[in-house]
Amino acid sequence: MSQTYIEDLKEHVGEEVTLKGWLYNSRGSGKLVFLQLRDGTGIVQCVVFKGNVSEDLFEAAKGLGQESSIIVTGTVKEDERSPIGVELDVTDLEVVQNATDYPITPKEHGTEFLMDHRHLWIRSKKQHAVLRIRHTVIKATRDYFDDDGFILADTPIFTPAACEGTTTLFEVDYFGDDTAYLTQSGQLYNEATAAAFGKSYAFGPTFRAEKSKTRRHLTEFWMVEPEVAYAKLEDMMDLGEGLILAIVKRVLEERRPELETLERDISKLEAIKAPFPRLHYDEAVELLQAGYEKGELENKFEWGGDFGAPDETYLSSQFGQPVFVHRFPAAIKGFYFERDAERPELALGIDLLASDGYGEIIGGGERASDLEFLEKQLEEHDLPREAFEWYLDLRRFGTVPHSGFGMGIERCVSWMCGIEHVRETIPFPRMLYRLRP
Ligand code: 4AD
Ligand code: MG
């Protein structure tokens, strides 16, 4: 028996096809039963008319519970009222399992309940749309780097040392005699692969033992991290800008129905255009202080600080575009940053702040290339020298200026989807208070 997918139904008008899926919803009226069938690619209304099928089959159709698994055969009919333009006139129905008491009903459930049932919740229309958009964001991201000559060189998840500060490390017992940490970022290894391949990227899960409960933080999230030998700070802003434009374009091309399901204001995505403003940290501070003077920000931002969520939202709202901020106080940045030659108190870092208050999407910058400087930095940051010896080798053998960044996939997806919380942008989120299911 062959199977047709709902997303292809329009090519089969007038034909008899077989669909395999699950019952999303149903209702009956006298001689008719309307089955909303989903198969992962879409939802279609299947009409069971008493006169067209056996008595047993009609009764079976009437008695199906939500999420019953069913195989439906019927004729594809054009229908103007259908969101997908077609419906199915049922001629045969096979019940694989009649499910009863499915816990997620069309009524409103609280988020905690839904999160506890995440393994089922991902079947629902909105969650389904978000995860399809995630797929497209990832595909567009990979294509962007692959088409630009980058080599995918994935980096380890068990690591012997910190990359992004020791306070957010997850520790793992490594056969009793060594401690491993779950990687916070593949960056240090990317620096090695960039020296080997020129342009490389890693794409994988990263971990932060963040005790924060914000709507932007997961303890396990996916990051794409390009690294380029001989590249400078400005090159990373070009690369990041190109990446965002490529993602937005692809999402608009391929995921309009999903964006509509999510009621995303599509015009805001369509309005995203290069060049994105590039603000020096000093300029960002001036804008924030002016915002405070005007009463548009609650707290006065002082030079030297790290942006909080309200600051990020305020900055991007000034432009209606994603905004780069570059050259941060070195004191608030990682040990590995190159310094500004004219103002050594500044680290050559970049952040990209999404429009509409979706926060920091990209973080990265130019890496220190001088051996002695890095040796001093390790000391100042209290990092164990022997765990970084291999990293220092990169400065001993053919050191060059080089730069890279990391983009958090979930933050990017939540921005594309226009949804508040990153927990819905990954199939099974891991957070401070959530390890299950
Ligand atoms: O700014 P971050 O910490 O930068 C780095 O890890 C660099 N070593 C990357 C590099 O240069 N190769 O993280 C990069 C991005 C952030 O901009 C954000 O999008 C995302 O990763 N991110 C998180 N996403 C979800 N939950 C968290 N707890 C995140 N922390 C960072
Ligand atoms: Mg950052």
Side-chain angles (χ1 to χ4, degrees), residues 164 185 187 208 210 218 221 223 225 360-361 367 408:
E164 290 300 323
S185 157
Q187 180 197 319
R208 305 275 170 100
E210 311 228 41
L218 297 167
F221 62 98
M223 185 153 44
E225 298 183 86
E360 180 200 319
I361 298 292
R367 326 303 190 186

Side-chain angles (χ1 to χ4, degrees), residues 333 351 360 363:
K333 286 287 176 187
D351 276 3
E360 180 200 319

Side-chain angles (χ1 to χ4, degrees), residues 144-161:
Y144 178 74
F145 292 116
D146 293 346
D147 295 348
D148 195 20
F150 281 74
I151 295 295
L152 174 71
D154 286 323
T155 52
I157 287 171
F158 287 135
T159 58

Side-chain angles (χ1 to χ4, degrees), residues 163-164 184-188 190 206 208 210 212 216-227 333 336-337 350-352 360-365 367 404-412 422:
C163 176
E164 290 300 323
Q184 300 166 307
S185 157
Q187 180 197 319
L188 305 184
N190 288 336
T206 46
R208 305 275 170 100
E210 311 228 41
S212 44
R216 291 179 192 160
H217 288 90
L218 297 167
T219 53
E220 176 180 321
F221 62 98
W222 284 66
M223 185 153 44
V224 64
E225 298 183 86
E227 192 72 28
K333 286 287 176 187
Y336 51 74
F337 282 92
I350 56 162
D351 276 3
L352 179 68
E360 180 200 319
I361 298 292
I362 285 177
R367 326 303 190 186
F405 65 75
M407 181 184 77
I409 291 295
E410 291 75 18
R411 297 231 185 131
C412 183
V422 291

Side-chain angles (χ1 to χ4, degrees), residues 7 99 113 152 173 187 270 297 320 347 374 416:
E7 66 183 356
F113 177 87
L152 174 71
D173 171 54
Q187 180 197 319
E270 285 170 335
L297 277 169
L374 267 179
M416 293 301 112

Side-chain angles (χ1 to χ4, degrees), residues 254-319:
E254 295 182 2
R255 293 293 172 217
R256 262 174 202 270
E258 285 82 1
L259 292 171
E260 280 160 17
T261 297
L262 296 169
E263 295 168 27
R264 176 71 166 114
D265 182 349
I266 293 174
S267 68
K268 291 211 165 141
L269 292 179
E270 285 170 335
I272 295 173
K273 285 207 174 65
F276 301 164
R278 299 178 180 193
L279 292 181
H280 192 289
Y281 177 84
D282 291 348
E283 294 174 84
V285 173
E286 275 170 34
L287 274 175
L288 291 172
Q289 291 180 343
Y292 174 76
E293 300 302 330
K294 283 188 259 176
E296 292 165 357
L297 277 169
E298 215 168 290
N299 297 307
K300 180 159 189 206
F301 189 88
E302 299 294 348
W303 196 99
D306 214 348
F307 305 134
D311 305 315
E312 292 178 349
T313 304
Y314 183 79
L315 285 174
S316 65
S317 71
Q318 301 305 296
F319 302 92

